[in-house]
Amino acid sequence: MTRMTRKLLLVLLLPLLLLPTAGTAFVGSEADSDSFDLNRARLLSFVIRQQLVSHHYSHKPLDDQLSKDAFTLFLKQIDSQKRFLLQEDVRRLEKFETRIDDELASSQVRLPQVTAKTMEQRVADVREMVFSLLDEGFDLHREERLETDPDKIKYCETPAELRDRWRKILKLQVINRLFALEENAAAEDEDATAGDEKALLAKAVDKVRSNQEHLFNQLQEDRRQDYFDVYFNAVASAFDPHSNYLPPMTKEDFDISMRGSLEGIGATLRQEEGFIKVVRIIPGSAAYRQGQLEAEDTILAVGEGSDDAVDVVDMRLRDAVKLIRGKKGTEVRLHVRKPDGQRVIIPIVRDVVQIEETFVKSAVLPLPDRERSYGYIRIPSFYRDFEGGMNGGGRNSTDDTRKELERLREAGIEGLVLDLRNNGGGALTDAVSVAGLFIEGGPVVQVKNADGKIETLTDNDESVAYGGPLVVLVNKFSASASEILAGALQDYDRAVIIGSEHTHGKGTVQAVIDLDRSLPFPNMDKYRPLGAMKVTIQKFYRISGDSTQYRGVVPDIVLPDRLRHVESGEQYLEHSLPWDKVSSADFSTWPASPPVQKLEERSLARLAENEELTEIAREAERVRERMADTTYPLHIDQARERHQQMQIERENRPFYGMAGMHDEEASEDRDLSEKERKALWAEKTAEDPYVLEAVSILQDFRRLEEITDGLTEKATTAATP
């Protein structure tokens, strides 16, 4: 995601608000343990409404349609798994479905209050229900299944129906715990007998009970303010998925993460319909080096070392993050559901980001069977140290890429692979200047403001750092600034873009607005801190005029992708801004344009014979089939068979991601010299089937160039008397 280095600081001329301090009654309890101030909530509703209506790029009206969208998002966040509310509760709350716009206009916000009271009662009822079910036990040989996709189920009509839903949920949890205990027992004692099954089952139930106690303690700690925070965030997200309300504590976490000073696993997370999902893995982080956690993974539970894992489904994001964070050197175990439904436990030793892993890296690929030498450059993100100002002398991705290009040029490479896979963006200025290393100057990207004005960002340096054949690797997790670079190189016909069917499609810019700066009147200081708003204010367009938003960049040559059927990208996010286009910028294409059609024909013929990429294509189909089946068997034998089958598939599946070395490999790496580490990294890179196909395309490009040059030379000779 592109990070704006300057924050938008807006001061609004607020009219005098009459916020009554007496005679205000909650629909909920008379007294609130967290000293909730309704006047502060009313002030927030006014300020947030003003910020969104005034500054959001889309200029969406705050009307009944947006109210409906916000209501749906709010309800999903409150009870995403449909495990607490009954249909009668939903019908009562639906009276507010078209009133949110009116509530914000009048600053008389009632929906969060009504919801808070309803949820307090339902959570208490379900808590009693859950522990009663755990005491009763479960028939593990009963033939039944549990639907795990909340979009395929309805809210329960009666408490009895809700009890049965929870019985199945708890039964599945017990079965999964039982399998984990069996595996641990087998690892510790290979002679473990069937006589232990009863004891293991009792232990599994106890662990689930402990987990549920923690979950309900968290749920019953939810403050009245939390419901308002969710409400305001739902309103912002109804404008687009990247506009959010950041409560004071969340804003503080956001500021810390922007400074990069946290010790932990190194993953960006978001909450989506009650689930904690991985957005991206930070290059050089503990999760990056461990290698198993990937974008689009869902974190279901978190355990500290060997301690019991805590369920984080429906937990507040900040509470889940507290469990995941920790001191350097300690271990966290993440219980993760992969996009294809497989469940794995990923142990990660917390650490600070290894800075060197975040920087641009290059190698002359060790390919002894190739007739020429080829270079490889990986840009993990578009970083820039802004200490000292926008043009300060800190380290940046442009200078580092230029240095690596010089080194590769001196090595005599005859083609280059530029790897932007999993590059989530960064400094826009570097996306523009890195593009300039490959072209003779010209426009790179167009940026449209909310007022319709378009600014074209241009590379003004006519020198070219590398002018040879170029292939750019992308995937679904190439986003924002990396899409700008790939799109520009494609529009200039400067490079062949290869990879997943599309990139992420993040073509918008957000500004963080400090809401405390929007209060000019001293008598409102007592309501601070109010938090912040992250608001979409601009949109990117390629020099061809096409937006990178929603569609992303479509490669010239599409390669098999194990996650092909996973709905990852802007086009799958609710209320994402649409694709559109503006007028093309004035530019001239690269004179030695690659013959894309011929290169694609040769690549397709080669893919048919490539065993590794063919297996990846088959795995993609298996993923699609697994994703379609969202029910889980609750008969112990059927569940064990499914569990074992998934384990076999997981162990036999080759890993072709862009994460760093696994822990055991990284441990060996520490004993090597810097030169040896670089050689090992280059060797592993050269084994990546996507990189090998990129090199084959470069070879085809060279051969076709030679054929064209030969034909041109013959034609010239024949025409000479």
Side-chain angles (χ1 to χ4, degrees):
M1 175 174 58
T2 299
R3 287 178 166 80
M4 302 292 287
T5 57
R6 51 192 172 86
K7 292 184 179 180
L8 186 64
L9 303 178
L10 301 175
V11 178
L12 300 181
L13 298 177
L14 300 179
L16 182 62
L17 293 178
L18 300 177
L19 300 176
T21 56
T24 300
F26 284 127
V27 178
S29 56
E30 288 287 330
D32 201 331
S33 61
D34 63 6
S35 301
F36 173 73
D37 191 331
L38 184 57
N39 285 335
R40 180 178 177 277
R42 289 173 171 170
L43 175 61
L44 262 174
S45 71
F46 176 83
V47 173
I48 288 172
R49 176 178 180 273
Q50 292 297 314
Q51 298 289 4
L52 289 169
V53 172
S54 301
H55 302 294
H56 195 276
Y57 177 88
S58 69
H59 298 296
K60 281 186 180 179
L62 198 56
D63 56 11
D64 283 356
Q65 182 56 55
L66 192 130
S67 180
K68 290 179 181 179
D69 293 340
F71 177 82
T72 300
L73 291 171
F74 175 75
L75 202 60
K76 284 183 177 180
Q77 190 64 42
I78 294 301
D79 186 15
S80 61
Q81 304 304 297
K82 301 173 182 173
R83 301 190 297 180
F84 295 100
L85 296 174
L86 296 175
Q87 282 284 9
E88 64 183 78
D89 302 322
V90 175
R91 284 191 285 267
R92 185 165 59 251
L93 295 177
E94 281 176 345
K95 295 176 182 177
F96 294 90
E97 188 177 27
T98 59
R99 295 182 189 173
I100 292 177
D101 55 325
D102 304 314
E103 289 190 346
L104 293 172
S106 64
S107 295
Q108 300 294 324
V109 180
R110 295 188 62 245
L111 175 58
Q113 301 177 66
V114 175
T115 306
K117 181 181 180 182
T118 303
M119 281 295 291
E120 285 168 7
Q121 183 60 54
R122 291 304 177 207
V123 168
D125 293 345
V126 171
R127 178 173 190 150
E128 182 178 344
M129 183 186 298
V130 162
F131 293 113
S132 172
L133 287 166
L134 288 169
D135 289 339
E136 292 174 8
F138 307 94
D139 179 2
L140 300 187
H141 295 278
R142 178 177 173 178
E143 290 268 2
E144 55 186 347
R145 300 181 74 88
L146 173 67
E147 176 57 69
T148 61
D149 185 348
D151 290 334
K152 296 180 180 178
I153 59 176
K154 297 179 179 180
Y155 290 95
C156 294
E157 286 285 356
T158 64
E161 188 181 339
L162 184 62
R163 181 183 178 88
D164 192 61
R165 178 170 294 175
W166 268 99
R167 180 186 63 79
K168 292 181 179 180
I169 291 170
L170 295 169
K171 183 178 176 181
L172 178 60
Q173 291 182 6
V174 167
I175 289 172
N176 287 333
R177 287 285 186 176
L178 179 61
F179 292 159
L181 290 170
E182 288 175 346
E183 289 164 5
N184 291 339
E188 295 172 6
D189 180 9
E190 294 183 358
D191 296 325
T193 62
D196 296 322
E197 287 184 2
K198 190 173 182 180
L200 286 176
L201 177 59
K203 192 173 182 180
V205 172
D206 286 342
K207 286 185 176 294
V208 171
R209 179 181 285 106
S210 176
N211 191 306
Q212 291 299 322
E213 284 175 352
H214 188 281
L215 173 64
F216 280 98
N217 288 340
Q218 287 280 348
L219 290 172
Q220 292 183 316
E221 285 177 6
D222 280 355
R223 303 170 303 152
R224 189 81 40 148
Q225 182 62 54
D226 293 327
Y227 290 91
F228 279 88
D229 291 346
V230 172
Y231 175 89
F232 292 136
N233 189 61
V235 171
S237 297
F239 278 77
D240 89 296
H242 302 291
S243 294
N244 307 105
Y245 168 60
L246 307 176
M249 187 177 295
T250 303
K251 180 183 180 295
E252 181 181 342
D253 290 343
F254 177 81
D255 291 340
I256 292 173
S257 67
M258 291 294 279
R259 293 196 298 269
S261 60
L262 282 176
E263 289 184 352
I265 65 170
T268 304
L269 309 175
R270 74 171 182 269
Q271 190 154 37
E272 184 178 295
E273 298 181 9
F275 288 112
I276 309 298
K277 298 197 74 172
V278 179
V279 178
R280 68 182 290 254
I281 305 298
I282 309 301
S285 66
Y288 177 90
R289 298 195 302 278
Q290 198 275 348
Q292 289 180 285
L293 192 67
E294 300 171 283
E296 293 300 322
D297 285 352
T298 300
I299 300 175
L300 302 175
V302 179
E304 182 71 25
S306 59
D307 294 347
D308 289 345
V310 175
D311 190 347
V312 296
V313 177
D314 284 327
M315 184 182 288
R316 292 172 300 198
L317 181 59
R318 68 171 182 263
D319 292 328
V321 169
K322 285 178 183 177
L323 295 174
I324 296 170
R325 285 179 188 162
K327 292 183 179 180
K328 175 181 177 181
T330 58
E331 183 186 73
V332 61
R333 288 180 172 265
L334 304 180
H335 292 242
V336 168
R337 184 176 66 211
K338 291 290 181 178
D340 61 359
Q342 296 196 57
R343 298 182 182 229
V344 296
I345 299 176
I346 301 176
I348 300 175
V349 177
R350 300 179 179 103
D351 200 353
V352 295
V353 171
Q354 298 294 323
I355 298 300
E356 286 301 318
E357 291 293 333
T358 69
F359 295 145
V360 173
K361 296 173 72 173
S362 76
V364 176
L365 295 172
L367 301 168
D369 59 328
R370 309 282 174 154
E371 66 240 33
R372 295 183 171 92
S373 61
Y374 296 92
Y376 171 89
I377 291 182
R378 166 144 173 77
I379 304 179
S381 67
F382 292 96
Y383 51 86
R384 176 166 287 264
D385 184 353
F386 287 106
E387 291 297 326
M390 291 288 289
N391 298 311
R395 189 164 185 176
N396 61 79
S397 51
T398 302
D399 290 343
D400 287 351
T401 303
R402 183 184 289 108
K403 290 174 184 175
E404 298 304 324
L405 285 172
E406 290 173 0
R407 191 174 75 82
L408 293 175
R409 234 185 17 250
E410 290 172 0
I413 64 165
E414 297 192 45
L416 175 67
V417 179
L418 182 63
D419 198 340
L420 300 179
R421 288 177 294 173
N422 291 2
N423 182 323
L428 177 59
T429 181
D430 282 278
V432 174
S433 54
V434 168
L437 299 176
F438 301 99
I439 61 174
E440 295 176 334
V444 174
V445 64
Q446 303 181 84
V447 184
K448 185 177 180 182
N449 296 322
D451 60 6
K453 293 181 180 178
I454 297 176
E455 178 186 6
T456 301
L457 304 184
T458 301
D459 167 52
N460 296 313
D461 186 352
E462 294 185 1
S463 65
V464 178
Y466 173 76
L470 178 63
V471 169
V472 178
L473 266 170
V474 296
N475 65 6
K476 287 185 175 183
F477 309 115
S478 305
S480 196
S482 60
E483 293 176 289
I484 289 171
L485 174 57
L489 295 176
Q490 188 178 55
D491 289 341
Y492 273 103
D493 286 340
R494 176 63 187 88
V496 181
I497 314 298
I498 70 172
S500 305
E501 291 181 331
H502 58 83
T503 57
H504 195 272
K506 170 67 164 62
T508 56
V509 181
Q510 286 70 43
V512 177
I513 303 170
D514 189 339
L515 297 182
D516 288 347
R517 294 176 181 264
S518 303
L519 298 178
F521 304 120
N523 66 324
M524 294 184 181
D525 284 349
K526 63 182 178 180
Y527 297 119
R528 298 181 182 183
L530 293 178
M533 286 292 298
K534 186 154 66 75
V535 182
T536 296
I537 60 167
Q538 293 175 321
K539 201 170 180 181
F540 291 131
Y541 293 85
R542 293 164 59 157
I543 54 175
S544 63
D546 290 355
S547 173
T548 58
Q549 170 63 19
Y550 196 84
R551 290 186 185 177
V553 176
V554 178
D556 301 304
I557 299 174
V558 175
L559 301 180
D561 181 358
R562 183 173 62 84
L563 300 181
R564 176 189 174 194
H565 301 289
V566 174
E567 294 183 350
S568 175
E570 195 79 8
Q571 59 189 267
Y572 300 108
L573 297 179
E574 288 186 287
H575 312 302
S576 60
L577 296 185
W579 177 90
D580 62 345
K581 63 186 303 178
V582 296
S583 298
S584 171
D586 184 15
F587 68 99
S588 300
T589 57
W590 187 253
S593 301
V596 171
Q597 185 174 346
K598 290 182 180 179
L599 293 174
E600 182 181 20
E601 290 171 359
R602 294 193 175 201
S603 179
L604 289 173
R606 195 164 41 246
L607 291 178
E609 305 296 327
N610 188 311
E611 292 183 7
E612 289 179 298
L613 291 175
T614 300
E615 176 55 32
I616 290 173
R618 284 196 290 264
E619 172 65 14
E621 287 306 306
R622 289 194 289 267
V623 168
R624 182 186 61 79
E625 292 171 2
R626 283 194 294 266
M627 289 175 62
D629 183 8
T630 54
T631 64
Y632 276 76
L634 298 180
H635 187 287
I636 185 67
D637 295 335
Q638 296 170 4
R640 180 174 281 111
E641 181 181 352
R642 176 173 176 147
H643 177 73
Q644 291 172 345
Q645 180 61 34
M646 284 191 168
Q647 277 189 317
I648 292 170
E649 290 180 9
R650 186 165 59 248
E651 291 168 0
N652 293 334
R653 185 181 70 205
F655 178 75
Y656 296 126
M658 282 307 304
M661 295 181 180
H662 289 273
D663 282 345
E664 59 271 18
E665 295 171 337
S667 178
E668 296 174 8
D669 182 51
R670 295 188 191 100
D671 300 327
L672 302 176
S673 67
E674 183 178 355
K675 184 177 180 180
E676 289 171 327
R677 282 199 301 272
K678 287 183 177 179
L680 178 60
W681 177 75
E683 184 181 324
K684 291 185 175 296
T685 298
E687 294 172 356
D688 186 328
Y690 296 102
V691 173
L692 289 175
E693 178 56 26
V695 170
S696 295
I697 291 170
L698 287 170
Q699 283 186 305
D700 288 342
F701 190 8
R702 274 301 191 194
R703 293 189 187 110
L704 290 169
E705 269 190 327
E706 289 169 356
I707 292 171
T708 302
D709 291 344
L711 291 173
T712 302
E713 185 178 344
K714 283 183 179 180
T716 303
T717 302
T720 303

Short mmCIF file of all heavy atoms in Angstrom, two decimals, residues 269-309:
data_model
loop_
_atom_site.label_atom_id
_atom_site.label_comp_id
_atom_site.label_asym_id
_atom_site.label_seq_id
_atom_site.Cartn_x
_atom_site.Cartn_y
_atom_site.Cartn_z
N LEU A 269 -1.89 -7.11 9.37
CA LEU A 269 -3.14 -7.85 9.56
C LEU A 269 -4.33 -6.92 9.36
O LEU A 269 -4.22 -5.71 9.53
CB LEU A 269 -3.19 -8.45 10.97
CG LEU A 269 -1.99 -9.26 11.43
CD1 LEU A 269 -2.17 -9.68 12.89
CD2 LEU A 269 -1.78 -10.49 10.55
N ARG A 270 -5.46 -7.51 9.02
CA ARG A 270 -6.70 -6.75 8.99
C ARG A 270 -7.81 -7.64 9.55
O ARG A 270 -7.70 -8.86 9.55
CB ARG A 270 -7.06 -6.30 7.57
CG ARG A 270 -7.58 -7.39 6.65
CD ARG A 270 -8.12 -6.82 5.34
NE ARG A 270 -8.65 -7.87 4.48
CZ ARG A 270 -7.95 -8.53 3.57
NH1 ARG A 270 -6.68 -8.23 3.40
NH2 ARG A 270 -8.50 -9.48 2.83
N GLN A 271 -8.87 -7.01 10.02
CA GLN A 271 -10.03 -7.77 10.49
C GLN A 271 -11.08 -7.75 9.40
O GLN A 271 -11.45 -6.68 8.90
CB GLN A 271 -10.59 -7.19 11.78
CG GLN A 271 -11.63 -8.09 12.44
CD GLN A 271 -11.71 -7.86 13.93
OE1 GLN A 271 -11.58 -6.74 14.39
NE2 GLN A 271 -11.93 -8.91 14.70
N GLU A 272 -11.54 -8.91 9.02
CA GLU A 272 -12.51 -9.02 7.94
C GLU A 272 -13.62 -9.96 8.37
O GLU A 272 -13.43 -11.17 8.47
CB GLU A 272 -11.81 -9.55 6.68
CG GLU A 272 -12.70 -9.63 5.45
CD GLU A 272 -11.92 -10.12 4.24
OE1 GLU A 272 -11.00 -9.41 3.80
OE2 GLU A 272 -12.23 -11.22 3.75
N GLU A 273 -14.76 -9.38 8.64
CA GLU A 273 -15.94 -10.16 9.04
C GLU A 273 -15.63 -11.08 10.22
O GLU A 273 -16.00 -12.26 10.23
CB GLU A 273 -16.48 -10.96 7.85
CG GLU A 273 -16.94 -10.07 6.70
CD GLU A 273 -17.50 -10.86 5.53
OE1 GLU A 273 -17.69 -12.07 5.69
OE2 GLU A 273 -17.74 -10.25 4.48
N GLY A 274 -14.93 -10.53 11.21
CA GLY A 274 -14.66 -11.29 12.42
C GLY A 274 -13.40 -12.12 12.39
O GLY A 274 -12.97 -12.62 13.43
N PHE A 275 -12.79 -12.27 11.22
CA PHE A 275 -11.57 -13.05 11.10
C PHE A 275 -10.35 -12.14 11.03
O PHE A 275 -10.42 -11.03 10.47
CB PHE A 275 -11.60 -13.93 9.84
CG PHE A 275 -12.54 -15.10 9.93
CD1 PHE A 275 -13.68 -15.15 9.15
CD2 PHE A 275 -12.28 -16.15 10.80
CE1 PHE A 275 -14.55 -16.23 9.22
CE2 PHE A 275 -13.14 -17.23 10.88
CZ PHE A 275 -14.28 -17.27 10.09
N ILE A 276 -9.23 -12.60 11.56
CA ILE A 276 -7.96 -11.89 11.45
C ILE A 276 -7.23 -12.45 10.23
O ILE A 276 -6.85 -13.62 10.22
CB ILE A 276 -7.09 -12.07 12.71
CG1 ILE A 276 -7.89 -11.75 13.98
CG2 ILE A 276 -5.83 -11.22 12.60
CD1 ILE A 276 -8.37 -10.34 14.07
N LYS A 277 -7.06 -11.62 9.20
CA LYS A 277 -6.44 -12.08 7.96
C LYS A 277 -5.09 -11.41 7.76
O LYS A 277 -4.88 -10.25 8.13
CB LYS A 277 -7.34 -11.81 6.76
CG LYS A 277 -8.68 -12.55 6.82
CD LYS A 277 -9.36 -12.59 5.47
CE LYS A 277 -8.71 -13.56 4.52
NZ LYS A 277 -9.49 -13.74 3.27
N VAL A 278 -4.18 -12.13 7.14
CA VAL A 278 -2.85 -11.61 6.83
C VAL A 278 -2.93 -10.83 5.52
O VAL A 278 -3.38 -11.36 4.51
CB VAL A 278 -1.82 -12.74 6.71
CG1 VAL A 278 -0.45 -12.18 6.36
CG2 VAL A 278 -1.75 -13.54 8.01
N VAL A 279 -2.50 -9.57 5.54
CA VAL A 279 -2.49 -8.74 4.34
C VAL A 279 -1.18 -8.91 3.59
O VAL A 279 -1.15 -9.15 2.40
CB VAL A 279 -2.70 -7.26 4.70
CG1 VAL A 279 -2.64 -6.39 3.45
CG2 VAL A 279 -4.03 -7.08 5.42
N ARG A 280 -0.06 -8.79 4.31
CA ARG A 280 1.24 -8.98 3.69
C ARG A 280 2.27 -9.33 4.74
O ARG A 280 2.08 -9.07 5.93
CB ARG A 280 1.69 -7.73 2.92
CG ARG A 280 2.01 -6.53 3.76
CD ARG A 280 2.39 -5.33 2.89
NE ARG A 280 3.69 -5.51 2.25
CZ ARG A 280 4.79 -4.86 2.63
NH1 ARG A 280 4.74 -4.00 3.63
NH2 ARG A 280 5.93 -5.04 2.00
N ILE A 281 3.35 -9.95 4.29
CA ILE A 281 4.47 -10.30 5.16
C ILE A 281 5.58 -9.27 4.93
O ILE A 281 5.95 -8.99 3.80
CB ILE A 281 5.00 -11.71 4.85
CG1 ILE A 281 3.86 -12.74 4.93
CG2 ILE A 281 6.14 -12.09 5.78
CD1 ILE A 281 3.22 -12.85 6.29
N ILE A 282 6.10 -8.71 6.00
CA ILE A 282 7.13 -7.68 5.90
C ILE A 282 8.46 -8.34 5.54
O ILE A 282 8.91 -9.25 6.24
CB ILE A 282 7.28 -6.91 7.23
CG1 ILE A 282 5.92 -6.42 7.72
CG2 ILE A 282 8.27 -5.76 7.06
CD1 ILE A 282 5.20 -5.50 6.77
N PRO A 283 9.09 -7.92 4.44
CA PRO A 283 10.39 -8.49 4.08
C PRO A 283 11.39 -8.36 5.23
O PRO A 283 11.49 -7.32 5.88
CB PRO A 283 10.82 -7.64 2.88
CG PRO A 283 9.54 -7.13 2.30
CD PRO A 283 8.64 -6.90 3.47
N GLY A 284 12.14 -9.43 5.48
CA GLY A 284 13.14 -9.41 6.53
C GLY A 284 12.61 -9.72 7.91
O GLY A 284 13.38 -9.82 8.87
N SER A 285 11.29 -9.88 8.06
CA SER A 285 10.69 -10.12 9.37
C SER A 285 10.82 -11.58 9.77
O SER A 285 11.24 -12.44 9.00
CB SER A 285 9.21 -9.73 9.36
OG SER A 285 8.49 -10.59 8.49
N ALA A 286 10.42 -11.86 11.02
CA ALA A 286 10.46 -13.24 11.52
C ALA A 286 9.56 -14.15 10.69
O ALA A 286 9.93 -15.28 10.36
CB ALA A 286 10.04 -13.27 12.99
N ALA A 287 8.35 -13.67 10.34
CA ALA A 287 7.44 -14.48 9.53
C ALA A 287 8.00 -14.69 8.13
O ALA A 287 7.85 -15.76 7.54
CB ALA A 287 6.07 -13.79 9.44
N TYR A 288 8.67 -13.69 7.59
CA TYR A 288 9.30 -13.78 6.26
C TYR A 288 10.37 -14.86 6.26
O TYR A 288 10.45 -15.69 5.34
CB TYR A 288 9.89 -12.42 5.92
CG TYR A 288 10.64 -12.33 4.61
CD1 TYR A 288 9.99 -12.00 3.44
CD2 TYR A 288 12.02 -12.53 4.56
CE1 TYR A 288 10.67 -11.89 2.24
CE2 TYR A 288 12.71 -12.43 3.37
CZ TYR A 288 12.04 -12.10 2.21
OH TYR A 288 12.72 -11.99 1.03
N ARG A 289 11.20 -14.87 7.30
CA ARG A 289 12.28 -15.85 7.34
C ARG A 289 11.77 -17.25 7.67
O ARG A 289 12.34 -18.24 7.23
CB ARG A 289 13.33 -15.41 8.38
CG ARG A 289 13.98 -14.07 8.04
CD ARG A 289 15.25 -13.83 8.84
NE ARG A 289 15.04 -13.87 10.27
CZ ARG A 289 14.59 -12.84 10.99
NH1 ARG A 289 14.28 -11.70 10.38
NH2 ARG A 289 14.43 -12.94 12.29
N GLN A 290 10.69 -17.33 8.46
CA GLN A 290 10.14 -18.65 8.77
C GLN A 290 9.52 -19.29 7.53
O GLN A 290 9.66 -20.49 7.32
CB GLN A 290 9.09 -18.51 9.89
CG GLN A 290 8.76 -19.82 10.60
CD GLN A 290 7.69 -20.64 9.88
OE1 GLN A 290 7.03 -20.14 8.97
NE2 GLN A 290 7.53 -21.87 10.29
N GLY A 291 8.84 -18.48 6.72
CA GLY A 291 8.46 -18.91 5.38
C GLY A 291 7.10 -19.54 5.18
O GLY A 291 6.71 -19.75 4.04
N GLN A 292 6.35 -19.84 6.24
CA GLN A 292 5.08 -20.56 6.05
C GLN A 292 3.86 -19.64 6.03
O GLN A 292 2.87 -19.94 5.37
CB GLN A 292 4.90 -21.61 7.15
CG GLN A 292 5.84 -22.79 7.01
CD GLN A 292 5.62 -23.80 8.13
OE1 GLN A 292 6.03 -23.58 9.27
NE2 GLN A 292 4.98 -24.90 7.81
N LEU A 293 3.90 -18.55 6.78
CA LEU A 293 2.77 -17.63 6.82
C LEU A 293 2.75 -16.80 5.54
O LEU A 293 3.77 -16.27 5.11
CB LEU A 293 2.89 -16.70 8.03
CG LEU A 293 1.65 -15.87 8.38
CD1 LEU A 293 0.51 -16.78 8.84
CD2 LEU A 293 1.97 -14.83 9.46
N GLU A 294 1.55 -16.70 4.92
CA GLU A 294 1.43 -16.02 3.64
C GLU A 294 0.23 -15.07 3.66
O GLU A 294 -0.68 -15.22 4.48
CB GLU A 294 1.24 -17.03 2.50
CG GLU A 294 2.38 -18.02 2.34
CD GLU A 294 2.03 -19.13 1.36
OE1 GLU A 294 1.28 -20.04 1.75
OE2 GLU A 294 2.49 -19.06 0.22
N ALA A 295 0.25 -14.11 2.74
CA ALA A 295 -0.91 -13.23 2.57
C ALA A 295 -2.15 -14.06 2.28
O ALA A 295 -2.07 -15.10 1.62
CB ALA A 295 -0.65 -12.24 1.45
N GLU A 296 -3.29 -13.62 2.78
CA GLU A 296 -4.60 -14.27 2.65
C GLU A 296 -4.78 -15.43 3.63
O GLU A 296 -5.85 -16.05 3.64
CB GLU A 296 -4.88 -14.74 1.22
CG GLU A 296 -5.04 -13.60 0.23
CD GLU A 296 -6.17 -12.65 0.56
OE1 GLU A 296 -7.21 -13.10 1.03
OE2 GLU A 296 -5.99 -11.43 0.37
N ASP A 297 -3.79 -15.75 4.45
CA ASP A 297 -3.99 -16.73 5.52
C ASP A 297 -4.92 -16.13 6.57
O ASP A 297 -4.90 -14.91 6.81
CB ASP A 297 -2.67 -17.11 6.18
CG ASP A 297 -1.82 -18.03 5.32
OD1 ASP A 297 -2.32 -18.50 4.28
OD2 ASP A 297 -0.65 -18.29 5.68
N THR A 298 -5.70 -16.98 7.23
CA THR A 298 -6.59 -16.54 8.31
C THR A 298 -6.08 -17.11 9.62
O THR A 298 -5.87 -18.32 9.75
CB THR A 298 -8.03 -17.03 8.07
OG1 THR A 298 -8.50 -16.49 6.83
CG2 THR A 298 -8.95 -16.57 9.19
N ILE A 299 -5.84 -16.23 10.60
CA ILE A 299 -5.37 -16.66 11.92
C ILE A 299 -6.58 -16.97 12.79
O ILE A 299 -7.40 -16.10 13.07
CB ILE A 299 -4.48 -15.58 12.56
CG1 ILE A 299 -3.27 -15.29 11.66
CG2 ILE A 299 -4.01 -16.02 13.95
CD1 ILE A 299 -2.40 -14.16 12.15
N LEU A 300 -6.68 -18.22 13.21
CA LEU A 300 -7.84 -18.66 13.99
C LEU A 300 -7.57 -18.64 15.48
O LEU A 300 -8.47 -18.41 16.29
CB LEU A 300 -8.25 -20.08 13.57
CG LEU A 300 -8.60 -20.27 12.09
CD1 LEU A 300 -8.87 -21.75 11.81
CD2 LEU A 300 -9.79 -19.43 11.70
N ALA A 301 -6.32 -18.94 15.87
CA ALA A 301 -5.98 -19.00 17.29
C ALA A 301 -4.50 -18.67 17.44
O ALA A 301 -3.70 -18.84 16.52
CB ALA A 301 -6.28 -20.38 17.87
N VAL A 302 -4.15 -18.20 18.64
CA VAL A 302 -2.77 -17.79 18.92
C VAL A 302 -2.33 -18.40 20.24
O VAL A 302 -3.04 -18.29 21.25
CB VAL A 302 -2.65 -16.25 19.00
CG1 VAL A 302 -1.21 -15.84 19.31
CG2 VAL A 302 -3.12 -15.62 17.70
N GLY A 303 -1.17 -19.05 20.23
CA GLY A 303 -0.63 -19.66 21.44
C GLY A 303 0.76 -19.13 21.75
O GLY A 303 1.55 -18.88 20.83
N GLU A 304 1.07 -18.97 23.02
CA GLU A 304 2.39 -18.52 23.44
C GLU A 304 3.24 -19.76 23.73
O GLU A 304 3.03 -20.45 24.72
CB GLU A 304 2.28 -17.65 24.69
CG GLU A 304 3.59 -17.08 25.19
CD GLU A 304 4.13 -16.00 24.27
OE1 GLU A 304 3.33 -15.37 23.56
OE2 GLU A 304 5.36 -15.78 24.28
N GLY A 305 4.19 -20.05 22.82
CA GLY A 305 5.03 -21.23 22.99
C GLY A 305 4.19 -22.49 23.06
O GLY A 305 3.34 -22.75 22.21
N SER A 306 4.38 -23.27 24.13
CA SER A 306 3.65 -24.53 24.29
C SER A 306 2.32 -24.34 25.01
O SER A 306 1.59 -25.31 25.23
CB SER A 306 4.52 -25.54 25.06
OG SER A 306 4.86 -25.01 26.33
N ASP A 307 1.98 -23.10 25.38
CA ASP A 307 0.71 -22.86 26.08
C ASP A 307 -0.47 -23.10 25.14
O ASP A 307 -0.33 -23.09 23.92
CB ASP A 307 0.65 -21.42 26.59
CG ASP A 307 1.68 -21.14 27.68
OD1 ASP A 307 2.25 -22.12 28.19
OD2 ASP A 307 1.92 -19.96 27.98
N ASP A 308 -1.63 -23.29 25.73
CA ASP A 308 -2.84 -23.50 24.94
C ASP A 308 -3.12 -22.28 24.07
O ASP A 308 -2.95 -21.13 24.49
CB ASP A 308 -4.04 -23.75 25.85
CG ASP A 308 -3.97 -25.11 26.53
OD1 ASP A 308 -3.17 -25.94 26.08
OD2 ASP A 308 -4.71 -25.31 27.51
N ALA A 309 -3.57 -22.55 22.86
CA ALA A 309 -3.88 -21.47 21.93
C ALA A 309 -5.21 -20.82 22.31
O ALA A 309 -6.12 -21.47 22.82
CB ALA A 309 -3.94 -21.99 20.50
#
